[in-house]
Amino acid sequence: MTDAKCRELTNLVKLRALSEFVPGEPLTSAESGLIASLPAKIASLNEERRKKERETERLKDLSTGSTYKMRDVTHETLSFSNVPLVTAHAGEELAIQVWENDVFESDLRGNGWVTLTRSVLDDGELRVRMGPHVDYVELRFRPALPQDE
C-alpha cells in the first residue's frame, strides 16, 4: 500500500470513529462550575511547582559544589581549587565524584561515598578511594566561619 493510501485509510478510520460519537447528557451547573475553575487551579499549581523548583535548586546549591582542575607537569596529579564547596557536619554522608568533561559526553571517572565523623572533621583532611581511573581524592575540612552557618 502506498503512503498516500495509508494516510487516506487512517483519515477514514478517524472520521468513522468521530461519526459514531454520541454526546452524553448536558453538564450540570456544578460540573460547568468545576470546568470553569480549572484554569485558575492549573495556574495556581504551576506557580506552586515553580516555587518548589526554585527551592530545590537553592537547596541543591547549598549541598553540592564543584571545583575546576589544573593538571600538573607529570600529568598524574590533579590539583583542585582551594575554594570552600559546602558546609558539612558530623554524621552527614558525602558523595564525591570525579568527572571528565568532554565535548560530546562527560564521563564519570571516580565515585566515592564517605560518612563524616567528628574525628575526620577534627583531623581536617580525608582521602577517599575512587577506583581504577582515580586513585583517591583528598578532602580538606576547616571549622565553619560565622557567615558559613
Side-chain angles (χ1 to χ4, degrees), residues 3-19:
D3 287 341
K5 286 188 179 186
C6 282
R7 284 192 298 272
E8 182 182 4
L9 181 58
T10 301
N11 191 36
L12 288 173
V13 168
K14 286 181 186 176
L15 288 173
R16 179 177 176 200
L18 287 173
S19 71

Side-chain angles (χ1 to χ4, degrees), residues 134-146:
V134 177
D135 292 334
Y136 63 88
V137 169
E138 187 172 279
L139 304 174
R140 291 196 180 93
F141 302 95
R142 64 163 174 77
L145 300 173

Side-chain angles (χ1 to χ4, degrees), residues 62 84 86-89 142-149:
L62 287 175
V86 294
T87 301
H89 302 90
R142 64 163 174 77
L145 300 173
Q147 67 266 22
D148 294 338
E149 293 294 323

Side-chain angles (χ1 to χ4, degrees), residues 44-80:
S44 174
L45 288 172
N46 282 334
E47 179 57 29
E48 183 73 20
R49 180 183 49 79
R50 284 189 291 277
K51 285 180 184 177
K52 297 290 183 192
E53 287 172 350
R54 287 191 298 271
E55 179 66 4
T56 299
E57 283 302 311
R58 186 186 72 78
L59 292 172
K60 182 180 172 188
D61 289 344
L62 287 175
S63 64
T64 61
S66 63
T67 62
Y68 297 96
K69 63 186 176 185
M70 294 172 37
R71 191 175 292 272
D72 72 4
V73 293
T74 66
H75 300 287
E76 293 176 3
T77 302
L78 298 177
S79 178
F80 294 84

Side-chain angles (χ1 to χ4, degrees), residues 17-140:
L18 287 173
S19 71
E20 294 173 352
F21 176 72
V22 178
E25 296 180 22
L27 295 177
T28 65
S29 59
E31 291 169 332
S32 294
L34 178 62
I35 288 174
S37 72
L38 289 178
K41 287 181 180 180
I42 290 170
S44 174
L45 288 172
N46 282 334
E47 179 57 29
E48 183 73 20
R49 180 183 49 79
R50 284 189 291 277
K51 285 180 184 177
K52 297 290 183 192
E53 287 172 350
R54 287 191 298 271
E55 179 66 4
T56 299
E57 283 302 311
R58 186 186 72 78
L59 292 172
K60 182 180 172 188
D61 289 344
L62 287 175
S63 64
T64 61
S66 63
T67 62
Y68 297 96
K69 63 186 176 185
M70 294 172 37
R71 191 175 292 272
D72 72 4
V73 293
T74 66
H75 300 287
E76 293 176 3
T77 302
L78 298 177
S79 178
F80 294 84
S81 68
N82 255 348
V83 177
L85 298 179
V86 294
T87 301
H89 302 90
E92 291 183 338
E93 189 173 44
L94 300 181
I96 298 96
Q97 297 180 331
V98 176
W99 287 85
E100 174 184 60
N101 289 327
D102 289 343
V103 174
F104 297 108
E105 185 175 348
S106 296
D107 301 313
L108 180 63
R109 305 302 288 171
N111 193 23
W113 288 85
V114 63
T115 301
L116 295 178
T117 62
R118 172 57 31 212
S119 64
V120 165
L121 294 173
D122 289 343
D123 287 346
E125 63 182 43
L126 173 69
R127 284 187 176 185
V128 180
R129 303 272 175 218
M130 291 278 173
H133 302 294
V134 177
D135 292 334
Y136 63 88
V137 169
E138 187 172 279
L139 304 174
R140 291 196 180 93

